[in-house]
Amino acid sequence: MEETIAGPEAAHIPKQRGESLLDAAVRYVEERHWDVFPGTWLDAVDGMHRCSCGQSACAVPGAHPARDDWATQATGSATVARGLWSERPTASILLPTGRTFDAIDVPETAGFLALARMERMELTLGPVTLTPARRMQFFVLPGASAKVPDLLRKLGWQAASLDLVTLGEGAYVAAPPTRFGSRGAVQWVRRPTSANRWLPDAEELVSPLAYACGRDR
Protein backbone atom coordinates (compact mmCIF):
# COMPACT_ATOMS: atom_id res chain seq x y z
CA MET A 1 0.00 0.00 0.00
CA GLU A 2 1.21 3.52 -0.78
CA GLU A 3 2.14 5.64 2.22
CA THR A 4 0.07 8.70 3.08
CA ILE A 5 1.88 11.49 4.90
CA ALA A 6 -0.41 14.24 6.14
CA GLY A 7 2.27 16.73 7.07
CA PRO A 8 5.79 17.28 8.46
CA GLU A 9 4.70 16.28 11.98
CA ALA A 10 2.95 13.09 10.84
CA ALA A 11 4.43 9.61 10.88
CA HIS A 12 7.94 9.42 9.53
CA ILE A 13 8.26 8.69 5.84
CA PRO A 14 9.39 5.05 5.51
CA LYS A 15 13.08 4.70 4.77
CA GLN A 16 14.65 2.34 2.28
CA ARG A 17 16.27 0.16 4.92
CA GLY A 18 19.03 -2.19 3.92
CA GLU A 19 19.06 -1.22 0.25
CA SER A 20 22.42 -0.34 -1.25
CA LEU A 21 22.85 2.52 -3.68
CA LEU A 22 23.78 0.00 -6.37
CA ASP A 23 20.62 -2.04 -5.80
CA ALA A 24 18.44 1.08 -5.80
CA ALA A 25 20.00 2.45 -9.01
CA VAL A 26 19.50 -0.86 -10.83
CA ARG A 27 15.93 -1.13 -9.56
CA TYR A 28 15.07 2.35 -10.90
CA VAL A 29 16.33 1.32 -14.32
CA GLU A 30 14.67 -2.10 -14.37
CA GLU A 31 11.35 -1.27 -12.72
CA ARG A 32 10.74 2.34 -13.80
CA HIS A 33 12.88 2.59 -16.95
CA TRP A 34 14.48 5.76 -15.55
CA ASP A 35 17.94 6.83 -16.67
CA VAL A 36 20.42 7.10 -13.81
CA PHE A 37 23.93 8.40 -13.32
CA PRO A 38 26.35 8.41 -10.36
CA GLY A 39 27.09 11.74 -8.74
CA THR A 40 29.49 12.79 -6.02
CA TRP A 41 29.92 10.82 -2.81
CA LEU A 42 30.79 11.45 0.81
CA ASP A 43 34.29 11.05 2.23
CA ALA A 44 35.01 10.87 5.94
CA VAL A 45 37.51 13.63 6.82
CA ASP A 46 38.40 14.27 10.48
CA GLY A 47 35.17 12.64 11.58
CA MET A 48 33.09 14.79 9.23
CA HIS A 49 31.32 13.97 5.97
CA ARG A 50 32.91 15.90 3.12
CA CYS A 51 31.78 16.00 -0.49
CA SER A 52 34.09 14.31 -2.96
CA CYS A 53 34.08 17.54 -5.00
CA GLY A 54 36.49 19.00 -2.44
CA GLN A 55 34.48 22.15 -1.73
CA SER A 56 34.22 22.65 2.02
CA ALA A 57 31.12 24.81 1.57
CA CYS A 58 29.37 22.47 -0.89
CA ALA A 59 25.63 23.21 -0.80
CA VAL A 60 24.59 19.60 -1.47
CA PRO A 61 27.51 17.44 -0.30
CA GLY A 62 27.48 14.03 -1.92
CA ALA A 63 24.41 14.76 -4.03
CA HIS A 64 25.38 16.56 -7.23
CA PRO A 65 27.03 15.61 -10.55
CA ALA A 66 30.68 14.66 -10.35
CA ARG A 67 31.32 15.53 -14.01
CA ASP A 68 30.38 18.39 -16.31
CA ASP A 69 29.30 15.90 -18.97
CA TRP A 70 26.95 14.06 -16.62
CA ALA A 71 24.13 14.08 -19.20
CA THR A 72 26.15 11.81 -21.49
CA GLN A 73 26.89 9.44 -18.60
CA ALA A 74 23.21 8.83 -17.76
CA THR A 75 22.18 5.33 -18.69
CA GLY A 76 19.02 3.28 -19.02
CA SER A 77 20.96 0.01 -18.99
CA ALA A 78 20.86 -2.01 -15.78
CA THR A 79 24.15 -3.68 -16.74
CA VAL A 80 25.90 -0.34 -17.20
CA ALA A 81 24.37 1.03 -13.99
CA ARG A 82 25.56 -2.01 -12.06
CA GLY A 83 29.07 -1.47 -13.41
CA LEU A 84 29.11 2.25 -12.56
CA TRP A 85 28.07 1.71 -8.95
CA SER A 86 30.34 -1.32 -8.60
CA GLU A 87 33.22 1.06 -9.34
CA ARG A 88 31.93 3.69 -6.90
CA PRO A 89 29.47 2.04 -4.44
CA THR A 90 28.93 5.21 -2.39
CA ALA A 91 28.12 7.52 -5.31
CA SER A 92 24.80 9.33 -5.13
CA ILE A 93 21.95 8.30 -7.44
CA LEU A 94 20.92 11.13 -9.73
CA LEU A 95 18.06 11.00 -12.24
CA PRO A 96 18.09 13.33 -15.26
CA THR A 97 14.82 15.16 -15.80
CA GLY A 98 13.37 15.98 -19.20
CA ARG A 99 13.56 12.38 -20.39
CA THR A 100 10.98 10.04 -18.83
CA PHE A 101 9.74 12.65 -16.36
CA ASP A 102 10.01 16.28 -15.26
CA ALA A 103 9.75 17.36 -11.63
CA ILE A 104 7.98 20.28 -9.96
CA ASP A 105 10.08 21.40 -7.00
CA VAL A 106 8.47 23.29 -4.09
CA PRO A 107 9.23 24.01 -0.40
CA GLU A 108 8.43 21.19 2.01
CA THR A 109 5.65 23.09 3.82
CA ALA A 110 3.93 24.02 0.56
CA GLY A 111 4.37 20.48 -0.73
CA PHE A 112 2.58 18.89 2.22
CA LEU A 113 -0.19 21.49 2.04
CA ALA A 114 -0.64 20.80 -1.68
CA LEU A 115 -0.49 17.06 -1.13
CA ALA A 116 -3.37 17.18 1.36
CA ARG A 117 -5.42 19.25 -1.08
CA MET A 118 -4.63 16.92 -3.98
CA GLU A 119 -5.81 13.94 -1.94
CA ARG A 120 -9.11 15.70 -1.20
CA MET A 121 -9.44 16.39 -4.93
CA GLU A 122 -8.63 12.70 -5.60
CA LEU A 123 -5.92 13.65 -8.08
CA THR A 124 -3.66 10.92 -9.41
CA LEU A 125 -0.10 11.47 -8.24
CA GLY A 126 3.21 10.18 -9.47
CA PRO A 127 6.21 9.58 -7.21
CA VAL A 128 7.11 12.42 -4.82
CA THR A 129 10.42 12.90 -3.00
CA LEU A 130 11.42 14.88 0.07
CA THR A 131 15.04 16.07 0.24
CA PRO A 132 17.10 17.03 3.30
CA ALA A 133 17.11 20.55 1.81
CA ARG A 134 13.40 20.61 2.76
CA ARG A 135 12.17 20.53 -0.83
CA MET A 136 9.51 18.27 -2.29
CA GLN A 137 9.64 17.14 -5.90
CA PHE A 138 6.51 15.95 -7.72
CA PHE A 139 7.24 13.76 -10.75
CA VAL A 140 5.14 14.64 -13.81
CA LEU A 141 5.16 13.94 -17.54
CA PRO A 142 8.05 15.39 -19.57
CA GLY A 143 7.44 18.80 -21.09
CA ALA A 144 6.30 20.44 -17.86
CA SER A 145 9.13 22.97 -17.83
CA ALA A 146 7.87 24.43 -21.11
CA LYS A 147 4.22 24.74 -20.10
CA VAL A 148 4.25 25.59 -16.37
CA PRO A 149 5.06 29.33 -16.72
CA ASP A 150 2.07 29.83 -19.03
CA LEU A 151 -0.16 27.71 -16.78
CA LEU A 152 0.80 29.88 -13.81
CA ARG A 153 0.02 33.07 -15.73
CA LYS A 154 -3.43 31.72 -16.62
CA LEU A 155 -4.02 31.09 -12.93
CA GLY A 156 -3.03 34.67 -12.11
CA TRP A 157 0.41 33.90 -10.67
CA GLN A 158 3.80 35.22 -11.72
CA ALA A 159 6.36 32.43 -11.71
CA ALA A 160 8.97 34.75 -10.20
CA SER A 161 6.73 35.40 -7.19
CA LEU A 162 6.42 31.73 -6.24
CA ASP A 163 9.08 29.40 -4.89
CA LEU A 164 8.08 26.84 -7.52
CA VAL A 165 10.68 25.47 -9.92
CA THR A 166 10.16 23.05 -12.79
CA LEU A 167 13.05 20.71 -13.54
CA GLY A 168 13.22 19.57 -17.15
CA GLU A 169 15.86 18.98 -19.79
CA GLY A 170 19.37 19.72 -18.48
CA ALA A 171 18.42 19.27 -14.82
CA TYR A 172 18.28 16.32 -12.43
CA VAL A 173 16.93 15.13 -9.09
CA ALA A 174 18.58 13.05 -6.38
CA ALA A 175 16.87 9.73 -5.68
CA PRO A 176 16.58 7.77 -2.42
CA PRO A 177 18.65 6.65 -0.58
CA THR A 178 21.11 9.41 -1.61
CA ARG A 179 22.40 11.41 1.36
CA PHE A 180 23.05 15.16 1.61
CA GLY A 181 26.10 15.10 3.88
CA SER A 182 25.08 14.82 7.55
CA ARG A 183 21.63 16.32 6.84
CA GLY A 184 20.03 12.99 6.04
CA ALA A 185 18.80 11.08 3.01
CA VAL A 186 16.34 11.76 0.23
CA GLN A 187 13.11 9.87 0.99
CA TRP A 188 9.91 8.96 -0.81
CA VAL A 189 6.73 10.71 0.23
CA ARG A 190 5.01 8.71 -2.52
CA ARG A 191 7.00 5.67 -3.57
CA PRO A 192 7.17 4.51 -7.19
CA THR A 193 4.59 1.72 -7.48
CA SER A 194 2.62 0.00 -10.20
CA ALA A 195 -0.30 2.29 -9.29
CA ASN A 196 1.59 5.46 -10.22
CA ARG A 197 3.54 4.21 -13.22
CA TRP A 198 1.51 6.57 -15.43
CA LEU A 199 2.55 10.08 -14.46
CA PRO A 200 0.17 13.04 -14.22
CA ASP A 201 0.44 16.01 -16.54
CA ALA A 202 1.78 19.18 -14.92
CA GLU A 203 -1.52 20.90 -15.69
CA GLU A 204 -3.27 18.61 -13.18
CA LEU A 205 -1.00 19.61 -10.29
CA VAL A 206 -0.07 23.23 -10.95
CA SER A 207 -3.14 24.82 -9.38
CA PRO A 208 -2.84 23.20 -5.92
CA LEU A 209 0.93 23.59 -5.95
CA ALA A 210 0.76 27.28 -6.88
CA TYR A 211 -1.92 27.92 -4.27
CA ALA A 212 0.19 26.21 -1.58
CA CYS A 213 3.33 28.13 -2.59
CA GLY A 214 1.35 31.39 -2.49
CA ARG A 215 0.18 30.55 1.04
CA ASP A 216 3.74 29.66 2.03
CA ARG A 217 5.29 33.00 1.03
Side-chain angles (χ1 to χ4, degrees):
M1 174 178 281
E2 193 173 343
E3 298 80 9
T4 299
I5 307 299
E9 284 73 44
H12 292 300
I13 298 167
K15 296 181 179 180
Q16 295 70 40
R17 297 184 183 279
E19 184 172 42
S20 70
L21 289 157
L22 184 155
D23 289 341
V26 171
R27 183 165 55 84
Y28 294 144
V29 172
E30 291 182 334
E31 295 182 8
R32 300 301 290 202
H33 305 293
W34 289 340
D35 286 0
V36 299
F37 69 97
T40 53
W41 57 92
L42 296 171
D43 290 322
V45 180
D46 297 328
M48 301 286 290
H49 285 121
R50 303 284 187 183
C51 185
S52 61
C53 72
Q55 299 296 319
S56 59
C58 180
V60 282
H64 64 87
R67 300 164 34 163
D68 291 339
D69 63 343
W70 60 263
T72 64
Q73 191 184 23
T75 180
S77 163
T79 300
V80 173
R82 185 173 283 107
L84 290 170
W85 270 272
S86 293
E87 292 176 7
R88 180 58 65 179
T90 57
S92 52
I93 302 173
L94 304 180
L95 311 175
T97 51
R99 298 187 183 189
T100 52
F101 66 88
D102 281 5
I104 302 178
D105 179 288
V106 299
E108 174 188 355
T109 51
F112 279 116
L113 177 63
L115 194 59
R117 192 177 187 200
M118 291 173 186
E119 288 172 347
R120 289 194 298 270
M121 298 168 66
E122 298 184 347
L123 294 180
T124 300
L125 292 172
V128 182
T129 61
L130 174 63
T131 78
R134 304 191 69 177
R135 306 289 298 186
M136 286 177 68
Q137 295 165 339
F138 292 74
F139 289 26
V140 295
L141 288 172
S145 58
K147 64 173 67 173
V148 163
D150 187 52
L151 291 171
L152 290 174
R153 282 192 294 271
K154 289 179 180 178
L155 291 168
W157 297 98
Q158 292 295 324
S161 69
L162 298 176
D163 190 4
L164 182 155
V165 180
T166 309
L167 304 173
E169 187 175 358
Y172 62 90
V173 297
T178 295
R179 297 188 65 84
F180 283 32
S182 60
R183 294 155 66 184
V186 183
Q187 299 181 17
W188 291 113
V189 180
R190 289 291 179 276
R191 292 178 183 272
T193 68
S194 57
N196 61 22
R197 182 171 296 280
W198 302 106
L199 299 176
D201 190 276
E203 188 169 2
E204 301 172 57
L205 307 189
V206 161
S207 179
L209 286 170
Y211 171 79
C213 287
R215 284 276 303 273
D216 195 45
R217 286 186 300 177

